[in-house]
Amino acid sequence: MTAPSPAAQLPTERLRIYGIARTRAFRALWMAQELGLDYAHLPIEIGEAGARAPEFLAINPNGRLPFIVDDAFVLFESLAITLYLAKKHSYGRLYPSILEDEARAWQWSFWAISEVDRGVNIWSLHAVRLPPGERDAQKRDEALAVIAAPFKILDAAVATQPYLLGQDFTVADLNVAAIISRAVDMDLAAVPHLKAWLDRCLDRPAARTALALKVQADSATPPEVTRRIARINRL
Ligand SMILES: N[C@@H](CCC(=O)N[C@@H](CS)C(=O)NCC(=O)O)C(=O)O
């Protein structure tokens, strides 16, 4: 009996999401769940055993996660993926059809990437994910100091309306909430509106499904991989 060719082993779904849910693949998985898409999740790891293996570098030369293949269309960058999927499948609902709202969805997405993504990651590694003896209190406190001001901005933005663009949950909320999702373990008493909004977003059925995958992946991650994450990503 001959072994099936690699092509024959590929999942049959038209959309494939690559990346273990512990990584930024969580963002794409949450969006795919919101949209009710039929997709295959390939939970590959970071590094040489996963995203930097030749077969995956051939798809995403960055060697990072996540990336998707939608039919033959390849896309990397987690927020480009969520914006693309939302626009393709939920124009006028999760993806705003009004020009200014679309721009505000981009604004909040770029804002979250540049203002809070790295800080929340550093904080979560040095407050929660690394073994207690290996956490660096100075890095943790510096990260908290960096995100304090942007968290106040976000708190004010959701103080008088339930979601970032107004009354309805959109891709803007998904992107920002996914980026700061690990902040649920933080003391958020100083930013109560942010906390209520984050809880509201993460309590959605689609978020819960994706979070369950992330929690499962976190708990199956051995300390040496967490150390590698901190090292590779310079956190
Ligand atoms: N800006 C990229 C960042 C991608 C990224 O850094 N992913 C991490 C996992 S969350 C990764 O693959 N790190 C391993 C490496 O850089 O080798 C995105 O949002 O998709």
Side-chain angles (χ1 to χ4, degrees):
M1 198 167 80
T2 53
S5 71
Q9 289 168 359
L10 281 176
T12 52
E13 289 85 352
R14 292 172 59 178
L15 172 64
R16 303 199 294 276
I17 300 176
Y18 290 81
I20 185 162
R22 188 196 63 232
T23 67
R24 289 165 170 84
F26 165 69
R27 302 167 187 177
L29 292 167
W30 180 3
M31 180 53 84
Q33 288 291 332
E34 288 284 350
L35 297 168
L37 300 180
D38 183 24
Y39 66 95
H41 178 209
L42 293 92
I44 65 170
E45 259 297 350
I46 61 165
E48 310 303 324
R52 291 183 189 274
E55 69 185 290
F56 298 121
L57 281 175
I59 306 174
N60 176 17
N62 295 287
R64 291 179 184 245
L65 298 170
F67 55 91
I68 63 167
V69 182
D70 189 22
D71 279 332
F73 176 60
V74 174
L75 195 63
F76 57 79
E77 279 298 323
S78 55
L79 300 196
I81 293 170
T82 55
L83 289 162
Y84 161 76
L85 290 175
K87 189 166 187 174
K88 178 171 177 179
H89 297 284
S90 189
Y91 189 72
R93 197 175 63 85
L94 285 184
Y95 193 93
S97 53
I98 296 170
L99 180 68
E100 289 80 3
D101 283 343
E102 179 186 49
R104 289 198 294 146
W106 298 341
Q107 165 197 281
W108 281 115
S109 303
F110 298 149
W111 175 87
I113 283 279
S114 56
E115 301 291 331
V116 291
D117 194 6
R118 185 168 170 79
V120 172
N121 244 324
I122 293 175
W123 176 86
S124 101
L125 273 168
H126 293 282
V128 180
R129 292 156 65 201
L130 280 166
E134 298 171 33
R135 296 175 192 165
D136 182 331
Q138 193 183 340
K139 281 190 179 177
R140 185 196 62 208
D141 293 347
E142 280 170 7
L144 277 180
V146 166
I147 58 184
F151 268 26
K152 286 281 183 198
I153 305 280
L154 183 53
D155 190 64
V158 289
T160 55
Q161 57 187 31
Y163 296 107
L164 286 168
L165 303 193
Q167 296 305 308
D168 300 315
F169 177 86
T170 68
V171 63
D173 300 286
L174 187 148
N175 283 347
V176 181
I179 285 174
I180 70 164
S181 59
R182 290 192 185 274
V184 285
D185 297 323
M186 251 178 223
D187 176 3
L188 295 174
V191 282
H193 306 297
L194 181 158
K195 180 173 168 30
W197 164 84
L198 184 59
D199 289 344
R200 205 154 46 241
C201 293
L202 296 181
D203 204 30
R204 297 173 65 83
R208 282 164 169 260
T209 304
L211 278 171
L213 290 172
K214 175 152 128 160
V215 168
Q216 194 181 37
D218 272 346
S219 60
T221 301
E224 59 270 22
V225 174
T226 309
R227 280 183 205 113
R228 189 146 48 90
I229 293 167
R231 197 180 61 246
I232 295 180
N233 293 307
R234 301 168 303 284
L235 299 173

